[in-house]
Coordinates of all heavy atoms in Angstrom, one line a residue:
M1 N 127.5 100.0 152.7 CA 126.7 99.1 151.9 C 125.5 98.7 152.8 O 125.4 98.5 153.9 CB 127.5 97.7 151.8 CG 126.9 96.8 150.9 SD 127.7 95.2 150.9 CE 129.3 95.6 150.5
K2 N 124.3 98.7 152.0 CA 123.1 98.2 152.7 C 122.9 96.8 152.6 O 123.3 96.2 151.6 CB 122.0 99.1 152.1 CG 122.1 100.5 152.2 CD 120.7 101.3 151.9 CE 121.1 102.7 152.1 NZ 119.8 103.6 152.1
H3 N 122.2 96.3 153.6 CA 122.0 94.8 153.5 C 120.6 94.5 153.3 O 119.7 95.3 153.8 CB 122.5 94.3 155.0 CG 124.0 94.3 155.1 ND1 124.8 93.2 155.0 CD2 124.8 95.3 155.6 CE1 126.0 93.5 155.1 NE2 126.0 94.8 155.5
M4 N 120.3 93.5 152.6 CA 119.0 93.1 152.3 C 118.9 91.6 152.7 O 119.8 90.8 152.5 CB 118.8 93.1 150.8 CG 118.8 94.6 150.2 SD 118.2 94.7 148.5 CE 119.6 93.9 147.6
T5 N 117.7 91.2 153.1 CA 117.4 89.7 153.4 C 116.4 89.3 152.2 O 115.4 89.9 152.1 CB 116.8 89.6 154.7 OG1 117.8 90.2 155.6 CG2 116.5 88.1 155.1
L6 N 116.9 88.3 151.6 CA 116.1 87.8 150.5 C 116.0 86.3 150.5 O 117.0 85.7 150.9 CB 116.7 88.2 149.1 CG 116.8 89.8 148.7 CD1 117.7 89.9 147.4 CD2 115.4 90.3 148.5
D7 N 114.9 85.7 150.0 CA 114.8 84.4 149.9 C 115.1 84.0 148.5 O 114.5 84.6 147.5 CB 113.3 83.8 150.1 CG 113.0 83.9 151.7 OD1 113.9 83.8 152.4 OD2 111.8 84.1 151.9
M8 N 116.2 83.2 148.3 CA 116.6 82.8 147.0 C 117.0 81.4 147.0 O 117.5 80.9 147.9 CB 117.9 83.6 146.6 CG 117.7 85.0 146.3 SD 119.1 85.7 145.5 CE 120.2 85.9 146.9
P9 N 116.8 80.8 145.7 CA 117.3 79.4 145.6 C 118.8 79.4 145.7 O 119.4 80.4 145.3 CB 116.9 79.0 144.2 CG 115.9 79.9 143.7 CD 116.2 81.2 144.5
I10 N 119.5 78.4 146.3 CA 120.9 78.4 146.4 C 121.5 77.7 145.1 O 120.9 76.8 144.5 CB 121.4 77.8 147.7 CG1 121.1 76.4 147.7 CG2 120.9 78.6 148.8 CD1 121.9 75.6 148.9
V11 N 122.7 78.0 144.9 CA 123.5 77.2 143.8 C 124.2 76.2 144.6 O 125.3 76.4 145.3 CB 124.4 78.2 143.3 CG1 125.3 77.4 142.0 CG2 123.8 79.4 142.5
A12 N 123.6 75.0 144.6 CA 124.2 73.9 145.5 C 125.6 73.4 144.9 O 126.3 72.8 145.8 CB 123.1 72.7 145.5
E13 N 125.7 73.5 143.6 CA 127.1 73.0 143.1 C 127.2 73.6 141.8 O 126.3 73.9 141.0 CB 126.9 71.4 142.9 CG 128.0 70.8 142.2 CD 127.8 69.3 142.0 OE1 127.2 68.9 141.0 OE2 128.2 68.5 142.9
C14 N 128.4 73.9 141.4 CA 128.8 74.3 140.1 C 130.1 73.7 139.8 O 131.1 73.8 140.4 CB 129.0 75.8 140.0 SG 129.5 76.4 138.3
L15 N 130.2 73.0 138.6 CA 131.2 72.2 138.1 C 132.2 73.0 137.2 O 133.1 72.6 136.6 CB 130.9 71.0 137.4 CG 130.0 70.0 138.4 CD1 129.7 68.7 137.6 CD2 130.7 69.7 139.7
A16 N 131.9 74.3 136.9 CA 132.7 75.1 136.1 C 133.8 75.7 136.9 O 133.9 77.0 137.2 CB 131.8 76.3 135.5
N17 N 134.9 75.0 137.1 CA 135.9 75.5 138.1 C 136.8 76.6 137.3 O 137.6 77.1 138.0 CB 136.7 74.4 138.6 CG 137.3 73.5 137.5 OD1 137.2 73.8 136.3 ND2 138.1 72.5 137.9
E18 N 136.6 76.8 136.1 CA 137.4 77.8 135.3 C 136.7 79.2 135.6 O 137.3 80.2 135.2 CB 137.5 77.6 133.8 CG 136.1 77.6 133.1 CD 135.4 76.4 133.0 OE1 135.3 75.6 134.0 OE2 134.7 76.1 132.0
C19 N 135.6 79.3 136.2 CA 134.9 80.5 136.4 C 135.6 81.3 137.7 O 135.9 80.5 138.7 CB 133.4 80.3 136.7 SG 132.6 81.8 137.2
A20 N 135.8 82.5 137.6 CA 136.4 83.2 138.7 C 135.6 83.2 140.1 O 136.2 83.3 141.1 CB 136.5 84.8 138.4
Y21 N 134.3 82.9 140.0 CA 133.5 82.8 141.2 C 133.5 81.4 141.9 O 133.0 81.2 142.8 CB 132.1 83.2 140.8 CG 131.9 84.7 140.6 CD1 131.6 85.0 139.3 CD2 131.9 85.6 141.7 CE1 131.5 86.5 139.0 CE2 131.7 87.0 141.3 CZ 131.5 87.3 140.0 OH 131.4 88.6 139.7
N22 N 134.2 80.5 141.2 CA 134.1 79.1 141.6 C 135.4 78.8 142.5 O 136.6 79.0 142.0 CB 134.2 78.1 140.4 CG 133.8 76.7 140.7 OD1 134.4 76.2 141.5 ND2 132.6 76.3 140.2
V23 N 135.1 78.3 143.7 CA 136.1 77.7 144.5 C 135.6 76.3 144.9 O 134.5 76.3 145.6 CB 136.5 78.6 145.7 CG1 137.6 78.0 146.6 CG2 136.9 80.0 145.2
N24 N 136.4 75.3 144.8 CA 136.1 73.9 145.3 C 134.7 73.5 144.6 O 133.9 72.9 145.4 CB 136.1 73.9 146.8 CG 137.4 74.1 147.4 OD1 138.4 73.8 146.7 ND2 137.5 74.8 148.5
M25 N 134.4 73.8 143.4 CA 133.2 73.4 142.8 C 132.0 73.9 143.5 O 130.9 73.4 143.2 CB 133.1 71.7 142.8 CG 134.2 71.1 142.0 SD 134.3 71.6 140.4 CE 135.7 70.6 139.8
N26 N 132.1 75.1 144.0 CA 131.0 75.8 144.5 C 131.0 77.3 144.0 O 132.1 77.8 143.9 CB 130.9 75.8 146.1 CG 130.4 74.5 146.6 OD1 129.3 74.1 146.1 ND2 131.0 73.8 147.4
C27 N 129.9 77.9 143.9 CA 129.8 79.3 143.4 C 129.8 80.2 144.7 O 129.0 80.0 145.6 CB 128.5 79.5 142.6 SG 128.4 81.2 142.0
H28 N 130.6 81.2 144.6 CA 130.7 82.2 145.7 C 130.4 83.6 145.2 O 130.8 84.5 146.0 CB 132.0 82.0 146.3 CG 132.4 80.7 146.9 ND1 131.7 80.1 148.0 CD2 133.1 79.6 146.4 CE1 132.2 78.9 148.1 NE2 133.0 78.5 147.1
A29 N 129.7 83.8 144.2 CA 129.1 85.1 143.8 C 128.1 85.4 144.9 O 127.5 84.4 145.5 CB 128.6 85.1 142.4
R30 N 127.6 86.6 145.0 CA 126.5 86.9 145.9 C 125.2 86.3 145.2 O 124.4 85.6 146.0 CB 126.2 88.3 146.0 CG 127.1 89.0 147.0 CD 126.8 90.4 147.2 NE 127.8 91.1 147.9 CZ 128.1 92.4 147.8 NH1 127.6 93.1 146.9 NH2 129.1 92.9 148.6
A31 N 125.1 86.4 143.9 CA 123.9 85.8 143.2 C 124.2 85.8 141.8 O 125.0 86.6 141.3 CB 122.6 86.8 143.5
I32 N 123.6 84.9 141.2 CA 123.9 84.7 139.7 C 122.6 85.0 138.9 O 121.5 84.9 139.5 CB 124.4 83.3 139.3 CG1 123.3 82.2 139.6 CG2 125.7 83.0 140.1 CD1 123.7 80.9 139.0
T33 N 122.8 85.3 137.7 CA 121.6 85.4 136.8 C 121.7 84.2 135.7 O 122.8 84.0 135.2 CB 121.7 86.7 136.0 OG1 121.6 87.8 136.9 CG2 120.5 86.8 135.0
V34 N 120.7 83.6 135.6 CA 120.6 82.4 134.6 C 119.7 82.8 133.5 O 118.6 83.5 133.5 CB 120.0 81.2 135.4 CG1 119.8 80.0 134.4 CG2 121.0 80.8 136.5
G35 N 120.2 82.3 132.3 CA 119.3 82.2 131.1 C 119.4 83.4 130.2 O 119.7 84.6 130.6
N36 N 119.1 83.0 128.9 CA 118.9 84.1 127.9 C 117.8 83.5 127.0 O 117.1 82.5 127.3 CB 120.1 84.5 127.1 CG 120.8 83.3 126.5 OD1 120.1 82.4 126.1 ND2 122.1 83.3 126.3
S37 N 117.6 84.0 125.9 CA 116.5 83.6 125.0 C 116.8 82.2 124.3 O 116.0 81.6 123.8 CB 116.2 84.6 123.9 OG 117.3 84.8 123.2
L38 N 118.1 81.8 124.4 CA 118.5 80.6 123.8 C 118.6 79.4 124.7 O 118.3 78.2 124.4 CB 119.9 80.8 123.1 CG 119.8 81.9 122.0 CD1 121.2 82.1 121.5 CD2 118.9 81.6 120.8
H39 N 119.2 79.6 125.9 CA 119.4 78.4 126.8 C 119.6 78.9 128.2 O 119.7 80.1 128.5 CB 120.7 77.6 126.4 CG 121.9 78.3 126.5 ND1 122.4 79.3 125.7 CD2 122.9 78.2 127.5 CE1 123.5 79.8 126.2 NE2 123.9 79.1 127.2
A40 N 119.5 78.0 129.1 CA 119.5 78.3 130.6 C 121.1 78.3 131.1 O 121.4 77.6 131.9 CB 118.8 77.3 131.4
G41 N 121.8 79.2 130.5 CA 123.3 79.2 130.8 C 123.4 80.3 132.0 O 122.5 81.1 132.4
C42 N 124.5 80.2 132.6 CA 124.9 81.1 133.7 C 125.5 82.3 133.1 O 126.6 82.4 132.6 CB 125.9 80.4 134.6 SG 126.4 81.6 136.0
D43 N 124.7 83.4 133.2 CA 125.1 84.7 132.7 C 126.2 85.4 133.5 O 126.9 86.4 133.1 CB 123.9 85.6 132.6 CG 123.1 85.5 131.3 OD1 123.5 84.6 130.6 OD2 122.2 86.3 131.0
T44 N 126.4 84.9 134.7 CA 127.3 85.6 135.6 C 128.7 84.8 135.4 O 129.7 85.4 136.0 CB 126.8 85.3 137.0 OG1 125.6 85.8 137.2 CG2 127.7 86.1 138.2
F45 N 128.9 83.8 134.7 CA 130.2 83.2 134.4 C 131.2 84.1 134.0 O 131.0 85.1 133.2 CB 130.1 82.1 133.2 CG 131.4 81.7 132.8 CD1 132.0 80.7 133.6 CD2 132.0 82.1 131.7 CE1 133.3 80.2 133.2 CE2 133.2 81.6 131.2 CZ 133.8 80.6 131.9
L46 N 132.4 84.1 134.6 CA 133.5 85.0 134.3 C 134.7 84.2 134.2 O 135.2 83.6 135.3 CB 133.7 86.0 135.5 CG 134.9 87.0 135.4 CD1 134.9 87.9 134.1 CD2 135.0 87.9 136.6
S47 N 135.3 84.0 133.1 CA 136.5 83.2 132.9 C 137.7 84.0 133.4 O 137.8 85.1 133.2 CB 136.7 82.9 131.4 OG 137.8 82.1 131.1
G48 N 138.5 83.3 134.1 CA 139.7 83.9 134.7 C 140.5 82.9 135.6 O 139.9 82.0 136.3
S49 N 141.8 83.3 135.7 CA 142.6 82.5 136.5 C 142.6 82.8 138.0 O 143.0 82.1 138.8 CB 144.1 82.4 136.1 OG 144.5 83.7 135.9
V50 N 142.2 84.2 138.2 CA 142.1 84.7 139.5 C 140.8 84.3 140.1 O 139.7 84.7 139.4 CB 142.4 86.2 139.6 CG1 142.2 86.6 141.1 CG2 143.8 86.5 139.1
H51 N 140.6 83.7 141.2 CA 139.4 83.3 141.8 C 139.0 84.2 143.0 O 139.8 84.7 143.7 CB 139.3 81.8 142.2 CG 139.4 81.0 140.9 ND1 138.4 80.1 140.6 CD2 140.3 80.8 140.0 CE1 138.7 79.5 139.4 NE2 139.9 79.9 139.1
T52 N 137.7 84.3 143.3 CA 137.3 85.1 144.4 C 137.9 84.6 145.8 O 138.1 83.4 146.0 CB 135.7 85.1 144.5 OG1 135.3 85.8 145.6 CG2 135.2 83.6 144.7
R53 N 138.2 85.6 146.5 CA 138.8 85.3 147.9 C 137.7 84.9 148.8 O 137.9 84.1 149.9 CB 139.5 86.5 148.5 CG 140.6 86.9 147.7 CD 141.5 88.0 148.4 NE 140.8 89.2 148.6 CZ 140.5 90.2 147.8 NH1 141.1 90.1 146.6 NH2 139.8 91.2 148.1
E54 N 136.4 85.2 148.5 CA 135.2 84.8 149.4 C 134.8 83.4 149.1 O 134.3 83.2 148.1 CB 134.1 85.7 149.2 CG 132.8 85.3 149.8 CD 132.9 85.1 151.2 OE1 133.0 86.1 152.0 OE2 133.0 83.9 151.7
A55 N 135.2 82.5 149.9 CA 134.9 81.0 149.7 C 134.0 80.5 150.7 O 133.8 79.2 150.7 CB 136.2 80.3 149.6
T56 N 133.3 81.2 151.6 CA 132.3 80.7 152.4 C 131.0 81.0 152.1 O 130.0 80.4 152.4 CB 132.6 81.3 153.9 OG1 132.6 82.7 153.8 CG2 134.0 80.9 154.3
R57 N 130.8 82.1 151.4 CA 129.3 82.5 150.9 C 128.8 81.5 150.0 O 129.5 81.1 149.0 CB 129.5 83.9 150.2 CG 128.1 84.4 149.7 CD 128.3 85.9 149.3 NE 129.4 86.1 148.4 CZ 130.2 87.3 148.4 NH1 129.9 88.2 149.2 NH2 131.2 87.4 147.5
T58 N 127.5 81.3 150.0 CA 126.9 80.4 149.1 C 126.1 81.3 148.1 O 125.2 82.2 148.6 CB 125.9 79.4 149.8 OG1 126.7 78.6 150.7 CG2 125.1 78.6 148.9
A59 N 126.2 81.2 146.9 CA 125.5 81.9 145.9 C 124.0 81.6 145.9 O 123.6 80.5 146.0 CB 126.2 81.8 144.5
G60 N 123.3 82.6 145.6 CA 121.9 82.5 145.3 C 121.5 82.6 143.8 O 122.3 83.2 143.0
V61 N 120.3 82.3 143.4 CA 119.9 82.6 142.0 C 119.1 83.9 142.1 O 117.9 83.9 142.6 CB 119.0 81.5 141.5 CG1 118.6 81.8 139.9 CG2 119.7 80.2 141.5
G62 N 119.7 85.0 141.6 CA 119.1 86.4 141.7 C 117.9 86.5 140.7 O 117.0 87.2 141.1
A63 N 118.1 85.9 139.6 CA 117.1 86.1 138.5 C 117.3 85.0 137.5 O 118.4 84.5 137.3 CB 117.3 87.5 137.8
C64 N 116.3 84.6 136.8 CA 116.3 83.7 135.7 C 115.5 84.1 134.6 O 114.3 84.3 134.7 CB 116.1 82.2 136.2 SG 116.2 81.1 134.8
K65 N 116.1 84.2 133.4 CA 115.3 84.6 132.2 C 114.8 83.4 131.4 O 114.2 83.6 130.3 CB 116.3 85.5 131.3 CG 116.6 86.8 132.0 CD 117.6 87.5 131.2 CE 119.0 87.2 131.6 NZ 120.1 88.0 130.9
S66 N 115.0 82.2 131.8 CA 114.5 81.0 131.2 C 113.1 80.7 131.5 O 112.8 79.8 132.3 CB 115.4 79.8 131.5 OG 116.7 80.1 130.9
A67 N 112.1 81.4 131.0 CA 110.8 81.4 131.3 C 110.2 80.0 130.9 O 109.1 79.7 131.5 CB 110.0 82.6 130.7
E68 N 110.8 79.3 130.0 CA 110.3 78.0 129.6 C 110.5 77.0 130.6 O 110.0 75.8 130.5 CB 110.9 77.6 128.2 CG 112.3 77.1 128.3 CD 113.3 78.1 128.6 OE1 113.0 79.2 128.7 OE2 114.5 77.7 128.8
C69 N 111.2 77.2 131.6 CA 111.6 76.1 132.6 C 110.4 76.1 133.6 O 109.8 77.0 134.0 CB 112.9 76.5 133.4 SG 113.2 75.4 134.7
K70 N 110.1 74.9 134.1 CA 108.9 74.6 134.9 C 109.2 75.3 136.4 O 108.2 75.4 137.1 CB 108.6 73.3 135.0 CG 109.6 72.4 135.9 CD 109.0 70.9 136.1 CE 110.0 70.1 136.9 NZ 109.6 68.7 137.0
F71 N 110.4 75.6 136.7 CA 110.7 76.2 138.0 C 110.6 77.7 137.9 O 110.8 78.4 138.9 CB 112.1 75.7 138.5 CG 112.2 74.3 138.9 CD1 112.9 73.4 138.0 CD2 111.5 73.7 139.8 CE1 113.0 72.1 138.3 CE2 111.5 72.4 140.2 CZ 112.3 71.6 139.4
N72 N 110.4 78.2 136.7 CA 110.5 79.7 136.5 C 109.0 80.3 136.7 O 108.0 79.8 136.2 CB 110.9 80.1 135.1 CG 111.2 81.5 135.0 OD1 110.5 82.3 135.1 ND2 112.6 81.8 134.8
E73 N 109.0 81.3 137.5 CA 107.7 82.0 137.8 C 108.0 83.5 137.8 O 108.8 83.9 138.6 CB 107.2 81.6 139.2 CG 105.8 81.9 139.4 CD 105.3 81.3 140.8 OE1 105.4 80.1 141.0 OE2 104.7 82.1 141.6
D74 N 107.4 84.1 136.8 CA 107.6 85.6 136.7 C 109.1 86.0 136.6 O 109.5 87.0 137.2 CB 106.9 86.2 138.0 CG 106.5 87.7 137.8 OD1 106.4 88.0 136.6 OD2 106.4 88.4 138.8
F75 N 109.8 85.2 135.9 CA 111.2 85.4 135.6 C 112.2 85.3 136.8 O 113.2 86.0 136.8 CB 111.4 86.8 134.8 CG 110.5 87.0 133.7 CD1 109.4 87.8 133.7 CD2 110.7 86.2 132.6 CE1 108.6 88.1 132.6 CE2 109.8 86.3 131.4 CZ 108.8 87.2 131.5
E76 N 111.6 84.5 137.7 CA 112.5 84.2 138.9 C 112.5 82.7 139.0 O 111.5 82.0 138.8 CB 111.9 84.8 140.2 CG 111.7 86.3 140.2 CD 113.0 87.1 140.1 OE1 114.1 86.5 140.3 OE2 112.9 88.3 140.2
C77 N 113.6 82.1 139.7 CA 113.6 80.8 139.9 C 113.0 80.4 141.3 O 113.3 81.1 142.3 CB 115.1 80.3 140.0 SG 115.3 78.6 140.3
M78 N 112.1 79.4 141.2 CA 111.3 79.0 142.4 C 111.8 77.7 142.9 O 111.2 77.1 143.9 CB 109.8 79.0 142.2 CG 109.3 80.4 141.7 SD 109.7 81.7 142.7 CE 108.5 81.5 144.0
A79 N 112.9 77.1 142.4 CA 113.3 75.8 142.9 C 114.0 76.0 144.2 O 114.4 77.1 144.6 CB 114.4 75.2 141.9
D80 N 114.2 74.9 145.1 CA 114.9 75.1 146.3 C 116.3 75.4 146.0 O 117.0 76.2 146.8 CB 114.8 73.9 147.2 CG 113.4 73.7 147.7 OD1 112.7 74.8 147.9 OD2 113.0 72.6 148.0
S81 N 117.0 74.8 145.1 CA 118.4 74.9 144.9 C 118.6 74.5 143.4 O 117.6 73.8 142.8 CB 119.2 74.1 145.8 OG 118.9 72.7 145.5
I82 N 119.7 74.9 142.8 CA 120.0 74.6 141.4 C 121.5 74.0 141.3 O 122.2 74.2 142.3 CB 119.8 75.6 140.4 CG1 120.9 76.7 140.6 CG2 118.4 76.2 140.5 CD1 121.1 77.6 139.4
K83 N 121.8 73.3 140.3 CA 123.2 72.8 140.1 C 123.5 73.4 138.7 O 122.7 73.6 137.7 CB 123.3 71.4 140.0 CG 123.1 70.8 141.5 CD 123.3 69.3 141.5 CE 123.2 68.8 142.9 NZ 123.5 67.4 143.0
V84 N 124.9 73.7 138.5 CA 125.3 74.3 137.3 C 126.4 73.4 136.8 O 127.3 73.0 137.7 CB 125.7 75.8 137.6 CG1 126.3 76.4 136.3 CG2 124.5 76.6 138.0
A85 N 126.6 73.3 135.6 CA 127.7 72.5 135.0 C 128.0 72.8 133.5 O 127.1 73.3 132.8 CB 127.4 71.0 135.1
P86 N 129.3 72.7 133.2 CA 129.6 72.9 131.6 C 128.9 71.9 130.8 O 128.8 70.7 131.3 CB 131.1 72.7 131.7 CG 131.6 72.8 133.1 CD 130.5 72.3 133.9
A87 N 128.5 72.3 129.6 CA 128.0 71.4 128.6 C 128.5 71.9 127.3 O 128.0 72.8 126.8 CB 126.5 71.4 128.7
G88 N 129.5 71.2 126.8 CA 130.2 71.8 125.6 C 130.8 73.0 125.9 O 131.5 73.2 126.9
K89 N 130.4 74.1 125.0 CA 131.0 75.4 125.2 C 130.2 76.3 126.2 O 130.4 77.4 126.4 CB 131.2 76.1 123.9 CG 132.2 75.5 123.0 CD 132.4 76.2 121.7 CE 133.5 75.6 120.9 NZ 133.6 76.2 119.6
E90 N 129.0 75.7 126.6 CA 128.1 76.4 127.5 C 128.3 76.0 129.0 O 128.8 75.0 129.3 CB 126.7 76.2 127.1 CG 126.4 76.6 125.6 CD 125.0 76.2 125.2 OE1 124.3 75.4 125.9 OE2 124.7 76.6 124.1
I91 N 127.8 76.8 129.8 CA 127.7 76.5 131.3 C 126.3 76.7 131.7 O 125.8 77.8 131.7 CB 128.7 77.4 132.1 CG1 130.1 77.0 131.6 CG2 128.5 77.1 133.6 CD1 131.2 77.9 132.2
N92 N 125.6 75.6 131.9 CA 124.2 75.5 132.0 C 123.6 75.3 133.5 O 124.3 74.5 134.2 CB 123.6 74.6 131.0 CG 123.8 75.0 129.6 OD1 124.0 76.2 129.3 ND2 123.7 74.1 128.7
C93 N 122.4 75.8 133.7 CA 121.7 75.3 134.9 C 121.2 73.8 134.5 O 120.4 73.8 133.6 CB 120.6 76.2 135.1 SG 119.3 75.5 136.5
T94 N 121.7 72.9 135.2 CA 121.3 71.4 135.0 C 119.9 71.1 135.7 O 119.5 70.0 135.4 CB 122.4 70.5 135.4 OG1 122.7 70.6 136.7 CG2 123.7 70.7 134.5
T95 N 119.5 72.1 136.5 CA 118.2 71.8 137.1 C 117.0 72.2 136.1 O 115.9 71.9 136.4 CB 118.0 72.6 138.4 OG1 119.3 72.3 139.2 CG2 116.8 72.3 139.2
H96 N 117.3 72.9 135.2 CA 116.4 73.3 134.1 C 115.6 72.1 133.6 O 116.0 71.1 133.3 CB 117.2 73.9 133.0 CG 116.2 74.2 131.7 ND1 115.9 73.3 130.8 CD2 115.6 75.3 131.4 CE1 115.1 73.8 129.9 NE2 114.9 75.1 130.3
S97 N 114.3 72.3 133.6 CA 113.3 71.3 133.2 C 112.2 72.0 132.4 O 111.5 72.8 133.0 CB 112.8 70.6 134.4 OG 111.9 69.6 134.0
P98 N 112.0 71.6 131.2 CA 111.0 72.1 130.3 C 109.6 72.0 130.9 O 109.4 70.9 131.7 CB 111.1 71.4 129.0 CG 112.3 70.7 129.0 CD 112.8 70.5 130.5
R99 N 108.7 72.8 130.8 CA 107.4 72.6 131.3 C 106.7 71.5 130.7 O 106.9 71.2 129.5 CB 106.6 74.0 131.1 CG 107.0 75.1 131.9 CD 106.2 76.4 131.6 NE 106.8 77.6 132.1 CZ 106.7 77.9 133.4 NH1 106.0 77.3 134.3 NH2 107.3 79.0 133.8
Ligands
SF4_101 S1 127.4 79.4 139.0 FE1 127.9 80.7 137.3 S2 129.0 82.4 138.3 FE2 128.9 80.7 139.8 S3 130.8 79.6 139.7 FE3 129.3 78.6 138.2 S4 129.7 79.5 136.3 FE4 130.6 80.9 137.8
SF4_102 S1 115.9 75.6 137.5 FE1 114.9 76.6 135.8 S2 114.0 78.6 136.7 FE2 115.7 77.9 138.1 S3 117.5 78.8 137.4 FE3 117.5 76.8 136.5 S4 116.5 77.2 134.3 FE4 116.0 79.1 135.8

């Protein structure tokens, strides 16, 4: 495996504990993708009872497709950190803010 050093916003909290990447209300994916043309949802969400064994890594925001958010620049998130939480049937970036 090759290693890359990237500056990314961190996922400071995620309340979607039903996601396979969630342990102790934190995301432990390497990086998540946020957004589609409809809302700023977490595209990396994976429903499942088995959770990742990696519980020390802090996830970053690898890409964000919510270009209407004020933190979005060139389809990337430029916030320092984001938070994610369920909202009805969706799991959204709660840091999202319209321009
Ligand atoms: S941020 Fe997304 S991928 Fe990470 S735990 Fe939450 S829902 Fe899952
Ligand atoms: S804060 Fe805005 S740009 Fe950053 S991930 Fe959330 S919706 Fe995307």
